[in-house]
Amino acid sequence: MNARTARHVPVTLGSPEFRSVDTRSGVVTHAWFPPGTALPPHTHDRPIVAVMLEGGFRTSIARRELECSARCFWTEPLGERHANTAGAEG
C-alpha cells in the first residue's frame, strides 16, 4: 500500500484513553498511549498541530527520525506518512 492508496487513521489509533472536542476550527484531542506502543506507517485526514504534555515518543517522518519529549510542539502535514513509537512513560 503506498501513500496515495493508504487509508487515513484517527489520531487516537493505539490509544486506549482519549477525549476529543470538536470545535469550529478543528478537533482538540487529549490522548494517552501505553509505553512502547508502536504505530506502523500511517496518514491522517487533516493536518496535525500537537503538544506533548508528558512522556514522549519517537516519530519517523519525512525521511527523518525525531525524538519528542514533554513540552515538545510539532506539526504533521495533511497526508504525511509517518510512524510513531511511544516512550517508556507512554
Side-chain angles (χ1 to χ4, degrees), residues 45-67:
D45 68 349
R46 63 190 71 191
I48 306 295
V49 175
V51 177
M52 178 67 64
L53 299 176
E54 297 177 324
F57 76 99
R58 179 176 200 73
T59 188
S60 300
I61 188 168
R63 293 179 274 205
R64 297 182 347 178
E65 296 284 325
L66 302 170
E67 288 288 336

Side-chain angles (χ1 to χ4, degrees), residues 23-80:
T23 70
R24 288 184 184 195
S25 57
V27 178
V28 177
T29 300
H30 180 272
W32 176 80
F33 296 84
T37 299
L39 303 177
H42 61 278
T43 61
H44 300 295
D45 68 349
R46 63 190 71 191
I48 306 295
V49 175
V51 177
M52 178 67 64
L53 299 176
E54 297 177 324
F57 76 99
R58 179 176 200 73
T59 188
S60 300
I61 188 168
R63 293 179 274 205
R64 297 182 347 178
E65 296 284 325
L66 302 170
E67 288 288 336
C68 298
S69 58
R71 296 176 303 281
C72 177
F73 172 88
W74 77 96
T75 63
E76 295 172 3
L78 166 69
E80 181 75 37

Side-chain angles (χ1 to χ4, degrees), residues 4-5 7-8 11 13 15 19 23 46-47 51 54 56 60 78 80 82 85 87:
R4 291 179 199 260
T5 61
R7 220 173 91 221
H8 299 300
V11 296
L13 174 72
S15 173
R19 293 184 308 267
T23 70
R46 63 190 71 191
V51 177
E54 297 177 324
S60 300
L78 166 69
E80 181 75 37
H82 61 284
T85 303

